[in-house]
Amino acid sequence: MAVTHVESTAEHAPAARTGSPAPGRRGRSLPVRLLPYLLVAPTVLGTAYLLVYPLIRNLIISFQKFGIAQLIRGGADFVGLDNYRQILSDDMFWSVVLRTFVFTAINVSLIMVLATLIAVLIGALGKKMRLAVMGGLVVAWAIPVIAATTVFQWLFQSQLGVVNWVLVALGFEQFDGYAWFANGTSTFAIIVVLIVWQSVPFAALTLYAAMTTVPKELHESAQIDGAGGVKTFRLITFPILRPMFGLILCLEIIWVFKCFVQIWAISQGGPGNATLTLPVYAYQVAQSLNRYDLGAAISMVTVVILGVALLAYFRQMFKEEGEL
Amino acid sequence: MRTRIGRKISLNTLALIVFAFSVFPVYWMVLTAFKPTKDIQAETPSFFPTNITFSHFGTAVNADGFWLFWRNSALVAVSAVLMALVIACLAAYAVARMKWRGRQAFILMVFIAQMTPWEALLIPMYVIARDTDMLDKLTMLTLIYFMVTLPFTIVTLRGFLNAIPVELEEAAQVDGCNQFQAFRRIVFPLLAPGLLSTSLFGFITAWNEFAFANLLIIKNQDQRTLPVWLSSFSNTFGTDWGATMAAATLFMLPVLLIFLVLQGRVTAGVAAGAVKG
């Protein structure tokens, strides 16, 4: 549905630009007409081999019996829907799906709320403070995922970690030597903090950039009419920037849902299964159980769920861009 | 009057809190990297640099294969970005400047590719690498990183190209340049800043990638990249937090420098292309 919407808006858009190498368009020679196809050919070939083919391969594996033997020797048999039947009838799978949704919902709501508040805050600051906050956000944004993950392990280290020290100093004696990564809930919480900490800068800076495009006169007239900060945001800023909010929301949902590295590097889904989300589950089943077929089936389910989020994203994007 | 000052103070306090939360983990990492081990293990942590030592950096740099993994990472990231840049430039030009059947379908494909959940493709990539004898080879990683950065590069370069007036090229063509010459002499110089910021973004993605590097390099440990090394480093040297933080600092350095140099452009580029790893 989203796609048809796209085509129709896209029809008239390129017209402005196409006049370029105009003279004698009809009489252009064959090589000239082929030129654009030659230019995009490497991209199409690359995508076919490195994206479409792996996806198809994944789909095929998900219909096969594909364990360590088939991985080494080849020659996998087709088993129809057996793998899907097996994962869908497993309670474990459904608890992972549920956890993935909860994980995504918690992360994304925190990210959106904090990012919005920080974006508004940046807008209200003086020049120096604004630069300081934006600089700080950029630093948090720039640190590579693996480096950040390592740092968080150090911050929350049980004996020497600074977080425990601060908590004890604040009077929470129970955190003396508290082992964060031994407990499922606290490991989950740390991963959430890590992901939110890493994701807020992008969302906040983008929202702030978008907010600067809202005409000042609108805010001023709203204030003259007696509207406070919250009301101005609700009645003016938010409606104007609704597409931008939607876009960032969709992106964050996609990113958090498919998030793998932070969880894998910190806990590999544990302790217990407390931090096991769909992408990690797929990887774990494939790697440690050598059930590549089940792993492939789980990742196909992930792709389908993300596809729905993707549709929403495209709708937003085309509404926003209005052209292809 | 008093309320306005009060408002300003509370705003600035909030700003300081946000600043502290954003920067503290990074600050703590760098600080730990410079602290002598006895300070790291002190009962009461010091929050400011008092005794500075470079010995942890020595441990990290002298650890097995550090320079080798640094070289692997740089090699993979730079070649993936160069490939993506050349191929994206061709495609972006075709999209921004030419009219052809299938153009919209192509753009749609690029957008979809940009949002691909790469982590879902780990298993088939492994199988494909095995089938084509590409396991344990940096070439496979390069190809994957090329593909991961390509769609974003096309989208962003198309944005930059759209911002360059077509009339400039037409004028050059009237003056006797052919289309290629017009591109090279007129468009390319104008596109250079766009190429630069786009390629640095691609570099950061490739520099950071962990999942594929962790999966596809198994037997030949000499082919590992820095992120994989760093994660195994913190496991092996689990108790040596000074060295681990020094290694993490060294790993972060190129990315942080790139970000700080390009702060403004990066935000603009993101708004245009809506990207992240």
Side-chain angles (χ1 to χ4, degrees):
Chain A
M1 284 159 286
V3 175
T4 45
H5 166 71
V6 169
E7 304 283 20
S8 62
T9 45
E11 281 306 332
H12 26 87
R17 210 155 273 296
T18 41
S20 28
R25 169 173 305 278
R26 260 165 232 281
R28 282 187 305 175
S29 59
L30 188 65
V32 174
R33 266 186 289 139
L34 277 181
L35 186 59
Y37 298 101
L38 289 175
L39 292 179
V40 298
T43 304
V44 174
L45 289 177
T47 311
Y49 182 62
L50 292 162
L51 181 59
V52 180
Y53 176 53
L55 254 177
I56 294 173
R57 200 62 200 258
N58 201 44
L59 188 66
I60 294 174
I61 295 173
S62 74
F63 291 121
Q64 285 176 325
K65 178 175 164 40
F66 203 106
I68 190 80
Q70 288 75 17
L71 187 68
I72 293 166
R73 287 196 306 269
D77 294 328
F78 282 90
V79 292
L81 290 169
D82 275 6
N83 294 321
Y84 290 94
R85 218 169 280 142
Q86 191 175 335
I87 58 164
L88 295 180
S89 63
D90 188 353
D91 288 344
M92 172 87 164
F93 172 78
W94 292 108
S95 72
V96 171
V97 170
L98 180 69
R99 187 178 305 112
T100 312
F101 279 108
V102 172
F103 177 76
T104 309
I106 293 177
N107 271 304
V108 172
S109 348
L110 282 173
I111 292 168
M112 291 311 287
V113 170
L114 286 173
T116 309
L117 290 176
I118 292 174
V120 173
L121 175 72
I122 295 175
L125 288 172
K127 195 167 179 225
K128 275 184 197 153
M129 275 315 254
R130 174 183 307 162
L131 281 179
V133 171
M134 288 175 79
L137 290 174
V138 167
V139 169
W141 185 12
I143 183 169
V145 176
I146 280 289
T149 310
T150 315
V151 175
F152 268 65
Q153 284 170 316
W154 167 225
L155 291 173
F156 288 93
Q157 214 266 337
S158 61
Q159 295 302 325
L160 302 166
V162 71
V163 173
N164 279 352
W165 184 85
V166 169
L167 287 170
V168 171
L170 289 174
F172 299 97
E173 294 290 339
Q174 67 271 33
F175 286 103
D176 189 16
Y178 182 74
W180 291 87
F181 299 107
N183 175 300
T185 318
S186 60
T187 307
F188 189 93
I190 290 173
I191 292 175
V192 169
V193 172
L194 170 62
I195 289 173
V196 170
W197 179 76
Q198 284 188 303
S199 310
V200 160
F202 163 80
L205 290 173
T206 318
L207 284 177
Y208 166 69
M211 282 175 193
T212 56
T213 63
V214 177
K216 279 214 166 56
E217 295 77 33
L218 287 175
H219 278 217
E220 280 160 14
S221 60
Q223 268 155 13
I224 291 169
D225 291 345
V230 176
K231 213 169 179 189
T232 317
F233 179 81
R234 192 166 57 83
L235 294 177
I236 300 199
T237 314
F238 186 73
I240 294 179
L241 297 180
R242 191 192 297 273
M244 199 61 186
F245 276 95
L247 189 69
I248 294 175
L249 180 71
C250 289
L251 280 173
E252 294 294 348
I253 290 175
I254 293 169
W255 287 330
V256 173
F257 196 90
K258 70 177 190 179
C259 154
F260 172 81
V261 177
Q262 289 93 335
I263 302 179
W264 187 258
I266 281 199
S267 66
Q268 310 204 344
N273 294 321
T275 55
L276 201 58
T277 60
L278 271 178
V280 184
Y281 187 46
Y283 189 74
Q284 203 191 58
V285 166
Q287 275 304 95
S288 19
L289 304 178
N290 293 319
R291 289 300 304 268
Y292 301 94
D293 42 11
L294 292 184
I298 296 167
S299 63
M300 284 320 295
V301 175
T302 314
V303 168
V304 169
I305 296 176
L306 274 172
V308 176
L310 209 63
L311 271 182
Y313 168 75
F314 281 127
R315 282 178 87 115
Q316 270 304 335
M317 192 166 65
F318 292 127
K319 244 191 257 168
E320 175 128 310
E321 278 211 3
E323 66 137 325
L324 268 185
Chain B
M1 196 62 197
R2 185 176 295 162
T3 54
R4 190 186 286 175
I5 291 171
R7 194 175 107 94
K8 212 176 161 197
I9 290 172
S10 56
L11 271 181
N12 284 339
T13 315
L14 273 178
L16 280 177
I17 293 172
V18 172
F19 178 79
F21 267 98
S22 331
V23 172
F24 184 75
V26 183
Y27 175 74
W28 198 245
M29 167 179 81
V30 178
L31 187 66
T32 308
F34 283 109
K35 270 187 193 174
T37 305
K38 69 168 175 43
D39 286 7
I40 293 174
Q41 292 174 346
E43 277 292 309
T44 316
S46 62
F47 287 85
F48 299 99
T50 38
N51 308 311
I52 284 179
T53 172
F54 291 91
S55 68
H56 299 308
F57 287 95
T59 314
V61 170
N62 291 324
D64 237 7
F66 173 82
W67 293 111
L68 187 64
F69 304 140
W70 183 278
R71 191 210 62 155
N72 288 348
S73 271
L75 198 69
V76 169
V78 170
S79 25
V81 165
L82 285 181
M83 267 174 80
L85 218 49
V86 172
I87 289 177
C89 215
L90 303 176
Y93 190 81
V95 167
R97 289 289 197 262
M98 297 169 171
K99 192 185 185 184
W100 40 287
R101 227 172 217 287
R103 180 177 163 280
Q104 282 153 23
F106 177 77
I107 298 174
L108 193 65
M109 177 198 87
V110 172
F111 279 135
I112 292 175
Q114 192 183 346
M115 296 314 301
T116 305
W118 286 97
E119 289 79 0
L121 295 182
L122 282 163
I123 297 159
M125 284 295 190
Y126 181 90
V127 174
I128 290 168
R130 183 212 61 192
D131 289 353
T132 49
D133 208 15
M134 294 268 258
L135 280 179
D136 286 319
K137 296 214 172 98
L138 290 177
T139 327
M140 188 70 196
L141 282 186
T142 308
L143 281 174
I144 293 174
Y145 298 168
F146 150 72
M147 193 55 220
V148 173
T149 48
L150 180 66
F152 155 69
T153 315
I154 295 176
V155 171
T156 328
L157 285 183
R158 166 178 163 261
F160 281 106
L161 270 172
N162 279 342
I164 300 172
V166 183
E167 290 73 24
L168 289 177
E169 276 167 84
E170 284 169 357
Q173 281 175 316
V174 170
D175 289 347
C177 286
N178 62 33
Q179 201 168 0
F180 176 71
Q181 286 167 328
F183 177 81
R184 194 169 60 85
R185 295 196 187 150
I186 310 292
V187 182
F188 191 73
L190 291 170
L191 196 59
L195 287 171
L196 193 71
S197 65
T198 320
S199 59
L200 291 175
F201 233 120
F203 175 83
I204 290 169
T205 311
W207 182 256
N208 289 341
E209 204 283 327
F210 170 80
F212 282 100
N214 190 41
L215 178 75
L216 296 179
I217 307 291
I218 315 152
K219 291 203 197 81
N220 191 351
Q221 296 282 308
D222 283 354
Q223 301 292 302
R224 278 188 297 170
T225 55
L226 271 177
V228 180
W229 175 77
L230 183 58
S231 76
S232 68
F233 189 82
S234 59
N235 290 337
T236 327
F237 295 76
T239 46
D240 190 350
W241 284 103
T244 308
M245 289 304 112
T249 306
L250 289 173
F251 175 64
M252 175 199 72
L253 216 54
V255 175
L256 189 67
L257 289 178
I258 288 168
F259 251 80
L260 291 178
V261 170
L262 285 169
Q263 201 192 122
R265 249 194 260 288
V266 163
T267 337
V270 163
V275 226
K276 192 165 109 176

mmCIF file of all heavy atoms in Angstrom, chain B residues 8 37 45 128 165 169 181 191 228 241 259 271:
data_model
loop_
_atom_site.group_PDB
_atom_site.id
_atom_site.type_symbol
_atom_site.label_atom_id
_atom_site.label_comp_id
_atom_site.label_asym_id
_atom_site.label_seq_id
_atom_site.Cartn_x
_atom_site.Cartn_y
_atom_site.Cartn_z
ATOM 1 N N LYS B 8 16.781 30.483 34.309
ATOM 2 C CA LYS B 8 18.062 30.316 33.652
ATOM 3 C C LYS B 8 18.956 29.358 34.437
ATOM 4 O O LYS B 8 19.613 28.483 33.864
ATOM 5 C CB LYS B 8 18.759 31.677 33.515
ATOM 6 C CG LYS B 8 19.613 31.735 32.270
ATOM 7 C CD LYS B 8 20.222 33.084 32.060
ATOM 8 C CE LYS B 8 21.397 32.941 31.103
ATOM 9 N NZ LYS B 8 22.289 34.094 31.139
ATOM 10 N N THR B 37 47.726 1.390 38.211
ATOM 11 C CA THR B 37 46.863 0.294 38.660
ATOM 12 C C THR B 37 46.442 0.431 40.125
ATOM 13 O O THR B 37 45.310 0.136 40.480
ATOM 14 C CB THR B 37 47.573 -1.048 38.445
ATOM 15 O OG1 THR B 37 47.960 -1.126 37.078
ATOM 16 C CG2 THR B 37 46.667 -2.218 38.772
ATOM 17 N N PRO B 45 37.638 5.972 44.552
ATOM 18 C CA PRO B 45 38.139 6.356 43.226
ATOM 19 C C PRO B 45 38.407 7.859 43.156
ATOM 20 O O PRO B 45 37.698 8.652 43.773
ATOM 21 C CB PRO B 45 36.995 5.959 42.292
ATOM 22 C CG PRO B 45 35.785 5.903 43.149
ATOM 23 C CD PRO B 45 36.238 5.554 44.524
ATOM 24 N N ILE B 128 27.512 -18.757 2.700
ATOM 25 C CA ILE B 128 28.040 -18.304 1.414
ATOM 26 C C ILE B 128 29.566 -18.195 1.468
ATOM 27 O O ILE B 128 30.269 -18.623 0.554
ATOM 28 C CB ILE B 128 27.405 -16.952 1.016
ATOM 29 C CG1 ILE B 128 25.926 -17.159 0.670
ATOM 30 C CG2 ILE B 128 28.131 -16.328 -0.169
ATOM 31 C CD1 ILE B 128 25.139 -15.884 0.542
ATOM 32 N N PRO B 165 23.547 22.926 -9.018
ATOM 33 C CA PRO B 165 22.669 23.267 -10.149
ATOM 34 C C PRO B 165 23.099 22.580 -11.442
ATOM 35 O O PRO B 165 24.288 22.566 -11.768
ATOM 36 C CB PRO B 165 22.831 24.787 -10.283
ATOM 37 C CG PRO B 165 23.439 25.243 -9.009
ATOM 38 C CD PRO B 165 24.191 24.095 -8.438
ATOM 39 N N GLU B 169 26.673 22.355 -15.223
ATOM 40 C CA GLU B 169 27.142 21.324 -16.153
ATOM 41 C C GLU B 169 26.795 21.689 -17.588
ATOM 42 O O GLU B 169 27.586 21.513 -18.501
ATOM 43 C CB GLU B 169 26.488 19.980 -15.828
ATOM 44 C CG GLU B 169 27.172 19.213 -14.742
ATOM 45 C CD GLU B 169 26.310 18.073 -14.272
ATOM 46 O OE1 GLU B 169 26.353 17.018 -14.904
ATOM 47 O OE2 GLU B 169 25.557 18.260 -13.295
ATOM 48 N N GLN B 181 33.677 15.131 -18.898
ATOM 49 C CA GLN B 181 34.550 16.250 -18.552
ATOM 50 C C GLN B 181 33.819 17.258 -17.676
ATOM 51 O O GLN B 181 34.367 17.791 -16.716
ATOM 52 C CB GLN B 181 35.063 16.936 -19.816
ATOM 53 C CG GLN B 181 36.114 16.116 -20.531
ATOM 54 C CD GLN B 181 36.381 16.645 -21.922
ATOM 55 O OE1 GLN B 181 35.479 17.175 -22.576
ATOM 56 N NE2 GLN B 181 37.619 16.485 -22.370
ATOM 57 N N LEU B 191 31.357 18.511 -5.340
ATOM 58 C CA LEU B 191 30.855 17.341 -4.624
ATOM 59 C C LEU B 191 31.839 16.889 -3.540
ATOM 60 O O LEU B 191 31.474 16.142 -2.628
ATOM 61 C CB LEU B 191 30.629 16.204 -5.637
ATOM 62 C CG LEU B 191 29.778 15.005 -5.222
ATOM 63 C CD1 LEU B 191 28.395 15.456 -4.835
ATOM 64 C CD2 LEU B 191 29.705 14.005 -6.363
ATOM 65 N N VAL B 228 36.734 -7.057 17.387
ATOM 66 C CA VAL B 228 36.755 -8.425 17.889
ATOM 67 C C VAL B 228 37.894 -8.584 18.894
ATOM 68 O O VAL B 228 37.731 -9.174 19.970
ATOM 69 C CB VAL B 228 36.920 -9.428 16.729
ATOM 70 C CG1 VAL B 228 36.937 -10.845 17.251
ATOM 71 C CG2 VAL B 228 35.809 -9.237 15.712
ATOM 72 N N TRP B 241 41.839 -3.598 34.099
ATOM 73 C CA TRP B 241 40.936 -2.599 33.529
ATOM 74 C C TRP B 241 41.682 -1.427 32.929
ATOM 75 O O TRP B 241 41.205 -0.789 32.000
ATOM 76 C CB TRP B 241 39.931 -2.141 34.591
ATOM 77 C CG TRP B 241 38.876 -3.174 34.794
ATOM 78 C CD1 TRP B 241 38.770 -4.051 35.831
ATOM 79 C CD2 TRP B 241 37.795 -3.464 33.913
ATOM 80 N NE1 TRP B 241 37.686 -4.873 35.649
ATOM 81 C CE2 TRP B 241 37.071 -4.531 34.490
ATOM 82 C CE3 TRP B 241 37.378 -2.942 32.687
ATOM 83 C CZ2 TRP B 241 35.940 -5.081 33.884
ATOM 84 C CZ3 TRP B 241 36.251 -3.483 32.088
ATOM 85 C CH2 TRP B 241 35.558 -4.541 32.682
ATOM 86 N N PHE B 259 34.460 12.625 14.154
ATOM 87 C CA PHE B 259 33.198 13.231 14.576
ATOM 88 C C PHE B 259 33.383 14.689 14.961
ATOM 89 O O PHE B 259 32.596 15.552 14.581
ATOM 90 C CB PHE B 259 32.616 12.458 15.761
ATOM 91 C CG PHE B 259 31.408 11.681 15.413
ATOM 92 C CD1 PHE B 259 31.521 10.461 14.776
ATOM 93 C CD2 PHE B 259 30.146 12.161 15.702
ATOM 94 C CE1 PHE B 259 30.408 9.736 14.446
ATOM 95 C CE2 PHE B 259 29.027 11.447 15.378
ATOM 96 C CZ PHE B 259 29.154 10.229 14.746
ATOM 97 N N ALA B 271 20.506 14.203 8.808
ATOM 98 C CA ALA B 271 19.166 14.699 8.525
ATOM 99 C C ALA B 271 18.796 14.356 7.085
ATOM 100 O O ALA B 271 17.657 14.033 6.780
ATOM 101 C CB ALA B 271 19.098 16.193 8.766
#
